[in-house]
Amino acid sequence: MCGIIGIASNKPVSINIINSLKKLEYRGYDSAGLATLNKSEINEKKCSGRVEELEKILFKSPSDGNLGIGHVRWATHGIPNLVNAHPHSSEVVSVVHNGIIENSDEIKKKLELKGLKFKSQTDTEVITLLITESLKDNEPLESVFNTLKQLKGSFALGIIFKNHKDIIIGARRGSPLAVGYSNEENYLGSDSYALKSMTNKISYLDDGDLCILSKDKVEFYNVNKKKTNKKVYTLSDDENVSDKGDYKNFMSKEIFEQSTTVKNCINEYVDSLKKDINIYNFSIKPEKINKIFLIGCGTAYHSCLVAKYWFEELTTIDVEIDIASEFRYRKLKFNPDNLYIFVSQSGETADTAAALDICKKNNVKTCSVVNVVESTIARNSDWVLPIHAGPEIGVASTKTFLGQMLVLYILCLKLAKSRKDINDTIYQTNIKNLKALPDAIKESLKVENSVQAMAKEFLDAKGSMFLGRGLSFPIALEGALKLKELSYLHAEGYPAGEMKHGPLALIEEGLPVVVIAPKDKYFEKTLSNMQEVIARGGKILFITDHKKELVNENIRFGIRVPSLDNLLSPILLTIPIQLLAYHVALLKGCDIDKPRNLAKSVTVE
Ligand code: F6R
């Protein structure tokens, strides 16, 4: 899941490449690099680490050239260092790549037998050398087509040629790639976000497509080498949302804007006058739905897990959930009466997109819950439910997790009502509760000071646990995931009732254990599970919406969020666990917006 950019212009491009790479850093930040064409020479600059470093290198030794490509890397083949940084260039060609070439070892061996030498450990360099070989007898377009035929795996490519100084070739299989248009300038980019400061006119390459762009023209070819036309989309203007304002980092901004993003989302879906949810464009008749599959990865998967409890509570529909990387390899019996829902913030996650493709090949109805409405997953699904959270820049999902849960809840309510699984009174009560949610979120954010104090308890810990039951179990999983990814502290999320079946062995004197226990049918049972932890020395950090004063000398900290309605408790209980991970990471001096080894958009399998 690297990020790539290409610009063909009538003026120097290196500064705009750097600016776009900064936007693409959410896709990877192990290294950065660019190559421009300068008087028919390929001028390559690279660094390990962040784009900031590359910018410094360019400041000391500027690169001119009106055409160029750039890259930010999330390492797959080869360690993150300078040698493995992209672009990978030969005398005649320079390549940036996002994806994985699965048969690179095989190709490498063949090329080495021919006497060719490799500089890096990357899979990408085979592309550079295959094109270089083919260019001896062919023009650039044919050379790229010849090369692509030999590759297995996924890629989005940007390629420039020393002897063809006006063109950039882009190609896509699996990994996303967009083209942007402007006056006397055209662009290639991993996504529209990278191009947005330069243009709002975008087209997307489909799988197998290739494009040739120069400063005043873009041509597209499909997998059969036939010229094709592409739809041009005009992007919405939400650029201002990508500014962190007075916040220290994007994550804190994104946590604190949740009452607004949730309100915006509710306003999009709830018709206050008709007191109804305005989702009408079902791709499958609600009463005909036999079963719902909810599929996602990471945090998005946790929102599916929360929604499973909601669907079971409010509808008569059977629900199955799965992690996309598992779903895509299962031997499933596809049923046209099932609805397959894909949840993804970015809409570009490779496993989720592949799982969706499998459903499409099996002619079943698909729906996507996404934040990026121009994304591959949104474009490929029959029916899209946007979460309207605005751009999320922090690598850890926060406001989009709330958005995903919210949209799934709204969909669940609408389906329950349309199928007559709930009556109008219950429907109206739930809509009323929904409308109270933004203010309750605002209230919940006031726990920050208490959470800050609680965060200190994790500083010397060897690990930690998050426990919950029912609707709070997915929130325990999410709490553990957030803590791990932001503070690099080991954390396990567990159903509280499951502890005695093994994990209790992990509890020892002083281990921080976060117990998430809203006032629901599990409350007393969770307290009993908590006692089992206390008896073994666990240090309890208790999060609830119960108004009852809990007197227990063994609870080190207690956090209370407002109580709205049992069904909505996961949304409010998420706030303290987000803040907790944030403050532990801050105390430990971690890079909040760009945790190590991660990237925002996971476009590799
Ligand atoms: C964790 C996180 C990831 C993503 C996962 C799926 O904070 O952000 O676990 O949820 O990579 O990404 P999307 O939602 O873009 O499909």
Side-chain angles (χ1 to χ4, degrees), residues 26-27 176 190-194 196 204 235-236 238 343-349 368-381 384-393 400 404 600-601:
Y26 77 92
R27 303 176 78 92
S190 288
D191 59 28
S192 56
Y193 177 59
K196 231 172 176 177
Y204 296 96
L235 300 177
S236 54
D238 53 9
V343 183
S344 173
Q345 183 287 126
S346 60
E348 300 295 351
T349 300
S368 61
V369 174
V370 293
N371 195 31
V372 183
V373 286
E374 303 98 4
S375 61
T376 308
I377 290 173
R379 281 181 285 119
N380 288 350
S381 48
V384 185
L385 295 172
I387 64 171
H388 302 288
E392 186 176 67
I393 313 296
T400 57
Q404 289 159 350
K600 184 82 184 149
S601 180

Short mmCIF file of all heavy atoms in Angstrom, two decimals, residues 26-27 176 190-194 196 204 235-236 238 343-349 368-381 384-393 400 404 600-601:
data_model
loop_
_atom_site.label_atom_id
_atom_site.label_comp_id
_atom_site.label_asym_id
_atom_site.label_seq_id
_atom_site.Cartn_x
_atom_site.Cartn_y
_atom_site.Cartn_z
N TYR A 26 -0.20 8.83 4.13
CA TYR A 26 -1.06 7.94 4.92
C TYR A 26 -1.01 6.51 4.39
O TYR A 26 -1.39 5.56 5.05
CB TYR A 26 -2.50 8.47 4.94
CG TYR A 26 -3.27 8.21 3.68
CD1 TYR A 26 -4.04 7.06 3.55
CD2 TYR A 26 -3.23 9.09 2.61
CE1 TYR A 26 -4.74 6.80 2.39
CE2 TYR A 26 -3.92 8.85 1.46
CZ TYR A 26 -4.67 7.70 1.35
OH TYR A 26 -5.35 7.44 0.19
N ARG A 27 -0.50 6.34 3.15
CA ARG A 27 -0.43 5.01 2.56
C ARG A 27 0.88 4.29 2.89
O ARG A 27 1.03 3.10 2.64
CB ARG A 27 -0.55 5.09 1.04
CG ARG A 27 -1.81 5.77 0.58
CD ARG A 27 -1.80 5.90 -0.91
NE ARG A 27 -2.14 4.65 -1.53
CZ ARG A 27 -3.36 4.28 -1.87
NH1 ARG A 27 -4.36 5.10 -1.67
NH2 ARG A 27 -3.60 3.12 -2.42
N PRO A 176 -5.32 0.51 -6.69
CA PRO A 176 -6.05 1.61 -7.33
C PRO A 176 -5.16 2.64 -8.03
O PRO A 176 -4.01 2.83 -7.65
CB PRO A 176 -6.77 2.27 -6.15
CG PRO A 176 -5.99 1.88 -4.95
CD PRO A 176 -5.37 0.56 -5.23
N SER A 190 -2.39 7.60 -6.76
CA SER A 190 -3.00 6.44 -6.12
C SER A 190 -4.45 6.70 -5.75
O SER A 190 -5.25 5.77 -5.66
CB SER A 190 -2.26 6.08 -4.83
OG SER A 190 -1.03 5.54 -5.14
N ASP A 191 -4.77 7.96 -5.48
CA ASP A 191 -6.17 8.28 -5.18
C ASP A 191 -6.44 9.74 -5.48
O ASP A 191 -5.53 10.52 -5.75
CB ASP A 191 -6.51 7.94 -3.72
CG ASP A 191 -5.64 8.68 -2.75
OD1 ASP A 191 -5.17 9.77 -3.09
OD2 ASP A 191 -5.43 8.16 -1.64
N SER A 192 -7.70 10.09 -5.42
CA SER A 192 -8.10 11.46 -5.76
C SER A 192 -7.61 12.44 -4.69
O SER A 192 -7.34 13.59 -5.00
CB SER A 192 -9.62 11.54 -5.87
OG SER A 192 -10.21 11.10 -4.67
N TYR A 193 -7.45 11.96 -3.46
CA TYR A 193 -7.03 12.84 -2.37
C TYR A 193 -5.67 13.47 -2.69
O TYR A 193 -5.45 14.66 -2.43
CB TYR A 193 -6.98 12.00 -1.08
CG TYR A 193 -6.48 12.75 0.12
CD1 TYR A 193 -7.15 13.89 0.57
CD2 TYR A 193 -5.37 12.31 0.82
CE1 TYR A 193 -6.70 14.58 1.68
CE2 TYR A 193 -4.92 12.98 1.93
CZ TYR A 193 -5.58 14.13 2.35
OH TYR A 193 -5.12 14.80 3.45
N ALA A 194 -4.77 12.67 -3.30
CA ALA A 194 -3.43 13.17 -3.62
C ALA A 194 -3.48 14.24 -4.70
O ALA A 194 -2.60 15.08 -4.81
CB ALA A 194 -2.56 12.02 -4.10
N LYS A 196 -6.21 16.27 -5.30
CA LYS A 196 -7.27 17.24 -5.06
C LYS A 196 -6.81 18.69 -5.03
O LYS A 196 -7.55 19.58 -5.41
CB LYS A 196 -7.97 16.89 -3.75
CG LYS A 196 -9.46 16.81 -3.93
CD LYS A 196 -10.11 16.30 -2.69
CE LYS A 196 -11.61 16.33 -2.90
NZ LYS A 196 -12.31 15.78 -1.79
N TYR A 204 -10.97 7.10 -13.13
CA TYR A 204 -10.34 5.96 -12.45
C TYR A 204 -10.04 4.86 -13.45
O TYR A 204 -10.88 4.54 -14.30
CB TYR A 204 -11.27 5.41 -11.36
CG TYR A 204 -11.50 6.42 -10.27
CD1 TYR A 204 -12.63 7.25 -10.30
CD2 TYR A 204 -10.58 6.57 -9.24
CE1 TYR A 204 -12.83 8.20 -9.31
CE2 TYR A 204 -10.79 7.51 -8.25
CZ TYR A 204 -11.91 8.32 -8.29
OH TYR A 204 -12.10 9.25 -7.31
N LEU A 235 -14.93 16.12 -8.26
CA LEU A 235 -14.88 15.83 -6.82
C LEU A 235 -15.55 16.91 -6.01
O LEU A 235 -15.52 18.10 -6.39
CB LEU A 235 -13.42 15.71 -6.38
CG LEU A 235 -12.60 14.62 -7.07
CD1 LEU A 235 -11.17 14.67 -6.59
CD2 LEU A 235 -13.20 13.25 -6.80
N SER A 236 -16.09 16.51 -4.86
CA SER A 236 -16.70 17.50 -3.97
C SER A 236 -15.60 18.31 -3.29
O SER A 236 -14.46 17.86 -3.17
CB SER A 236 -17.55 16.78 -2.93
OG SER A 236 -16.74 15.83 -2.29
N ASP A 238 -14.13 19.34 -0.22
CA ASP A 238 -14.04 19.24 1.24
C ASP A 238 -12.58 19.39 1.68
O ASP A 238 -12.17 18.90 2.71
CB ASP A 238 -14.64 17.93 1.77
CG ASP A 238 -14.07 16.72 1.08
OD1 ASP A 238 -13.11 16.87 0.32
OD2 ASP A 238 -14.60 15.62 1.30
N VAL A 343 -17.70 -3.13 4.48
CA VAL A 343 -17.47 -1.92 5.28
C VAL A 343 -15.99 -1.54 5.16
O VAL A 343 -15.11 -2.35 5.43
CB VAL A 343 -17.85 -2.17 6.75
CG1 VAL A 343 -17.69 -0.89 7.56
CG2 VAL A 343 -19.28 -2.68 6.84
N SER A 344 -15.75 -0.30 4.74
CA SER A 344 -14.37 0.15 4.57
C SER A 344 -14.31 1.67 4.60
O SER A 344 -15.02 2.32 3.84
CB SER A 344 -13.83 -0.37 3.23
OG SER A 344 -12.57 0.18 2.96
N GLN A 345 -13.45 2.21 5.44
CA GLN A 345 -13.25 3.66 5.45
C GLN A 345 -12.74 4.11 4.09
O GLN A 345 -13.34 4.94 3.43
CB GLN A 345 -12.27 4.02 6.57
CG GLN A 345 -11.98 5.50 6.78
CD GLN A 345 -11.12 6.17 5.74
OE1 GLN A 345 -11.54 7.20 5.19
NE2 GLN A 345 -9.97 5.64 5.43
N SER A 346 -11.59 3.55 3.69
CA SER A 346 -10.91 4.01 2.48
C SER A 346 -11.63 3.58 1.22
O SER A 346 -11.55 4.24 0.19
CB SER A 346 -9.50 3.44 2.45
OG SER A 346 -9.56 2.02 2.43
N GLY A 347 -12.29 2.43 1.29
CA GLY A 347 -12.90 1.86 0.09
C GLY A 347 -11.84 1.28 -0.85
O GLY A 347 -12.14 0.94 -1.99
N GLU A 348 -10.60 1.16 -0.37
CA GLU A 348 -9.52 0.65 -1.22
C GLU A 348 -8.85 -0.58 -0.63
O GLU A 348 -7.89 -1.09 -1.22
CB GLU A 348 -8.44 1.72 -1.44
CG GLU A 348 -8.90 3.00 -2.09
CD GLU A 348 -9.38 2.82 -3.53
OE1 GLU A 348 -9.19 1.72 -4.10
OE2 GLU A 348 -9.97 3.76 -4.08
N THR A 349 -9.28 -1.03 0.54
CA THR A 349 -8.61 -2.16 1.19
C THR A 349 -8.64 -3.39 0.27
O THR A 349 -9.72 -3.84 -0.14
CB THR A 349 -9.29 -2.44 2.54
OG1 THR A 349 -9.17 -1.25 3.30
CG2 THR A 349 -8.65 -3.58 3.28
N SER A 368 -22.03 -1.25 -0.09
CA SER A 368 -20.82 -0.85 0.63
C SER A 368 -21.10 0.29 1.56
O SER A 368 -21.91 1.18 1.26
CB SER A 368 -19.69 -0.51 -0.34
OG SER A 368 -20.06 0.56 -1.17
N VAL A 369 -20.45 0.26 2.72
CA VAL A 369 -20.50 1.34 3.70
C VAL A 369 -19.09 1.93 3.71
O VAL A 369 -18.16 1.30 4.20
CB VAL A 369 -20.90 0.78 5.08
CG1 VAL A 369 -20.83 1.86 6.14
CG2 VAL A 369 -22.30 0.19 5.01
N VAL A 370 -18.93 3.10 3.10
CA VAL A 370 -17.58 3.65 2.90
C VAL A 370 -17.54 5.11 3.30
O VAL A 370 -18.56 5.79 3.38
CB VAL A 370 -17.15 3.56 1.41
CG1 VAL A 370 -16.96 2.13 0.94
CG2 VAL A 370 -18.12 4.30 0.52
N ASN A 371 -16.31 5.57 3.51
CA ASN A 371 -16.14 7.02 3.73
C ASN A 371 -15.78 7.71 2.42
O ASN A 371 -16.25 8.81 2.16
CB ASN A 371 -15.04 7.25 4.79
CG ASN A 371 -15.08 8.66 5.32
OD1 ASN A 371 -16.15 9.29 5.39
ND2 ASN A 371 -13.94 9.20 5.69
N VAL A 372 -14.94 7.04 1.62
CA VAL A 372 -14.50 7.66 0.36
C VAL A 372 -15.43 7.19 -0.76
O VAL A 372 -15.33 6.06 -1.23
CB VAL A 372 -13.03 7.30 0.06
CG1 VAL A 372 -12.55 8.01 -1.20
CG2 VAL A 372 -12.13 7.65 1.24
N VAL A 373 -16.32 8.08 -1.17
CA VAL A 373 -17.36 7.64 -2.11
C VAL A 373 -16.85 7.44 -3.53
O VAL A 373 -17.51 6.80 -4.34
CB VAL A 373 -18.58 8.61 -2.14
CG1 VAL A 373 -19.42 8.46 -0.92
CG2 VAL A 373 -18.14 10.04 -2.34
N GLU A 374 -15.66 7.97 -3.81
CA GLU A 374 -15.11 7.76 -5.17
C GLU A 374 -14.25 6.49 -5.21
O GLU A 374 -13.61 6.21 -6.22
CB GLU A 374 -14.22 8.94 -5.60
CG GLU A 374 -14.88 10.30 -5.59
CD GLU A 374 -14.57 11.08 -4.31
OE1 GLU A 374 -13.80 10.59 -3.47
OE2 GLU A 374 -15.14 12.18 -4.15
N SER A 375 -14.21 5.75 -4.13
CA SER A 375 -13.27 4.63 -4.03
C SER A 375 -13.67 3.42 -4.88
O SER A 375 -14.81 3.32 -5.35
CB SER A 375 -13.17 4.19 -2.57
OG SER A 375 -14.45 3.77 -2.14
N THR A 376 -12.73 2.49 -5.01
CA THR A 376 -12.96 1.27 -5.80
C THR A 376 -14.16 0.48 -5.25
O THR A 376 -15.02 0.04 -6.00
CB THR A 376 -11.70 0.38 -5.74
OG1 THR A 376 -10.59 1.19 -6.10
CG2 THR A 376 -11.79 -0.82 -6.64
N ILE A 377 -14.19 0.30 -3.93
CA ILE A 377 -15.25 -0.53 -3.34
C ILE A 377 -16.61 0.14 -3.56
O ILE A 377 -17.59 -0.51 -3.93
CB ILE A 377 -14.96 -0.79 -1.84
CG1 ILE A 377 -13.75 -1.72 -1.73
CG2 ILE A 377 -16.18 -1.36 -1.10
CD1 ILE A 377 -13.23 -1.96 -0.33
N ALA A 378 -16.66 1.46 -3.42
CA ALA A 378 -17.93 2.17 -3.65
C ALA A 378 -18.35 2.02 -5.11
O ALA A 378 -19.51 1.74 -5.42
CB ALA A 378 -17.79 3.64 -3.28
N ARG A 379 -17.38 2.19 -6.01
CA ARG A 379 -17.73 2.13 -7.43
C ARG A 379 -18.14 0.73 -7.87
O ARG A 379 -18.95 0.57 -8.77
CB ARG A 379 -16.56 2.63 -8.29
CG ARG A 379 -16.49 4.17 -8.29
CD ARG A 379 -15.35 4.69 -9.14
NE ARG A 379 -14.08 4.51 -8.47
CZ ARG A 379 -13.07 3.78 -8.93
NH1 ARG A 379 -13.16 3.17 -10.08
NH2 ARG A 379 -11.95 3.67 -8.24
N ASN A 380 -17.60 -0.28 -7.20
CA ASN A 380 -17.88 -1.65 -7.64
C ASN A 380 -19.09 -2.29 -6.97
O ASN A 380 -19.48 -3.39 -7.34
CB ASN A 380 -16.66 -2.55 -7.40
CG ASN A 380 -15.55 -2.22 -8.38
OD1 ASN A 380 -15.77 -1.47 -9.33
ND2 ASN A 380 -14.37 -2.75 -8.16
N SER A 381 -19.66 -1.64 -5.97
CA SER A 381 -20.79 -2.30 -5.30
C SER A 381 -22.11 -1.81 -5.89
O SER A 381 -22.19 -0.72 -6.46
CB SER A 381 -20.73 -2.09 -3.80
OG SER A 381 -20.51 -0.75 -3.52
N VAL A 384 -24.39 2.04 -2.45
CA VAL A 384 -23.39 2.65 -1.55
C VAL A 384 -24.07 3.43 -0.44
O VAL A 384 -24.98 4.24 -0.68
CB VAL A 384 -22.49 3.64 -2.34
CG1 VAL A 384 -21.37 4.18 -1.44
CG2 VAL A 384 -21.90 3.01 -3.57
N LEU A 385 -23.63 3.22 0.78
CA LEU A 385 -24.09 4.03 1.91
C LEU A 385 -22.89 4.78 2.48
O LEU A 385 -22.09 4.20 3.22
CB LEU A 385 -24.73 3.14 2.99
CG LEU A 385 -26.00 2.40 2.58
CD1 LEU A 385 -26.41 1.41 3.66
CD2 LEU A 385 -27.13 3.38 2.31
N PRO A 386 -22.72 6.05 2.12
CA PRO A 386 -21.56 6.80 2.62
C PRO A 386 -21.70 7.11 4.11
O PRO A 386 -22.83 7.25 4.61
CB PRO A 386 -21.59 8.10 1.81
CG PRO A 386 -22.63 7.94 0.77
CD PRO A 386 -23.56 6.86 1.22
N ILE A 387 -20.56 7.25 4.80
CA ILE A 387 -20.66 7.55 6.24
C ILE A 387 -20.49 9.04 6.54
O ILE A 387 -20.62 9.45 7.68
CB ILE A 387 -19.67 6.70 7.08
CG1 ILE A 387 -18.22 7.03 6.74
CG2 ILE A 387 -19.91 5.22 6.89
CD1 ILE A 387 -17.24 6.37 7.70
N HIS A 388 -20.17 9.81 5.50
CA HIS A 388 -20.15 11.28 5.62
C HIS A 388 -19.29 11.77 6.79
O HIS A 388 -19.69 12.69 7.49
CB HIS A 388 -21.58 11.83 5.78
CG HIS A 388 -22.49 11.46 4.65
ND1 HIS A 388 -22.38 12.02 3.40
CD2 HIS A 388 -23.51 10.58 4.58
CE1 HIS A 388 -23.30 11.50 2.61
NE2 HIS A 388 -24.00 10.62 3.30
N ALA A 389 -18.13 11.16 6.99
CA ALA A 389 -17.28 11.58 8.12
C ALA A 389 -16.24 12.62 7.69
O ALA A 389 -15.55 13.17 8.54
CB ALA A 389 -16.60 10.36 8.74
N GLY A 390 -16.09 12.86 6.40
CA GLY A 390 -15.04 13.76 5.91
C GLY A 390 -13.71 13.03 5.96
O GLY A 390 -13.60 11.96 6.57
N PRO A 391 -12.67 13.61 5.31
CA PRO A 391 -11.38 12.90 5.24
C PRO A 391 -10.84 12.54 6.63
O PRO A 391 -10.88 13.37 7.53
CB PRO A 391 -10.44 13.91 4.57
CG PRO A 391 -11.33 14.86 3.88
CD PRO A 391 -12.62 14.91 4.62
N GLU A 392 -10.38 11.31 6.77
CA GLU A 392 -9.73 10.90 8.03
C GLU A 392 -8.25 10.71 7.71
O GLU A 392 -7.89 9.90 6.86
CB GLU A 392 -10.34 9.59 8.54
CG GLU A 392 -9.81 9.21 9.91
CD GLU A 392 -10.50 7.96 10.43
OE1 GLU A 392 -10.30 6.87 9.84
OE2 GLU A 392 -11.25 8.06 11.41
N ILE A 393 -7.41 11.48 8.39
CA ILE A 393 -5.98 11.50 8.05
C ILE A 393 -5.18 10.63 9.03
O ILE A 393 -4.24 9.96 8.63
CB ILE A 393 -5.42 12.95 8.06
CG1 ILE A 393 -6.35 13.90 7.30
CG2 ILE A 393 -4.00 13.00 7.50
CD1 ILE A 393 -6.51 13.61 5.84
N THR A 400 -14.33 7.48 11.74
CA THR A 400 -14.96 6.64 10.74
C THR A 400 -15.49 5.35 11.36
O THR A 400 -16.41 4.74 10.82
CB THR A 400 -14.01 6.33 9.57
OG1 THR A 400 -12.84 5.71 10.09
CG2 THR A 400 -13.64 7.59 8.82
N GLN A 404 -19.13 4.21 10.70
CA GLN A 404 -19.50 2.88 10.19
C GLN A 404 -20.59 2.27 11.05
O GLN A 404 -21.59 1.74 10.55
CB GLN A 404 -18.27 1.96 10.17
CG GLN A 404 -17.25 2.32 9.12
CD GLN A 404 -15.85 1.76 9.41
OE1 GLN A 404 -15.58 1.24 10.50
NE2 GLN A 404 -14.96 1.90 8.45
N LYS A 600 -2.52 3.95 6.18
CA LYS A 600 -3.97 4.20 6.27
C LYS A 600 -4.76 3.32 5.31
O LYS A 600 -5.86 2.88 5.61
CB LYS A 600 -4.22 5.68 5.98
CG LYS A 600 -5.67 6.11 6.13
CD LYS A 600 -5.99 6.39 7.57
CE LYS A 600 -7.44 6.73 7.78
NZ LYS A 600 -7.89 6.27 9.11
N SER A 601 -4.21 3.15 4.12
CA SER A 601 -4.97 2.43 3.12
C SER A 601 -4.20 1.16 2.77
O SER A 601 -3.07 1.23 2.30
CB SER A 601 -5.11 3.35 1.91
OG SER A 601 -5.82 2.73 0.91
#
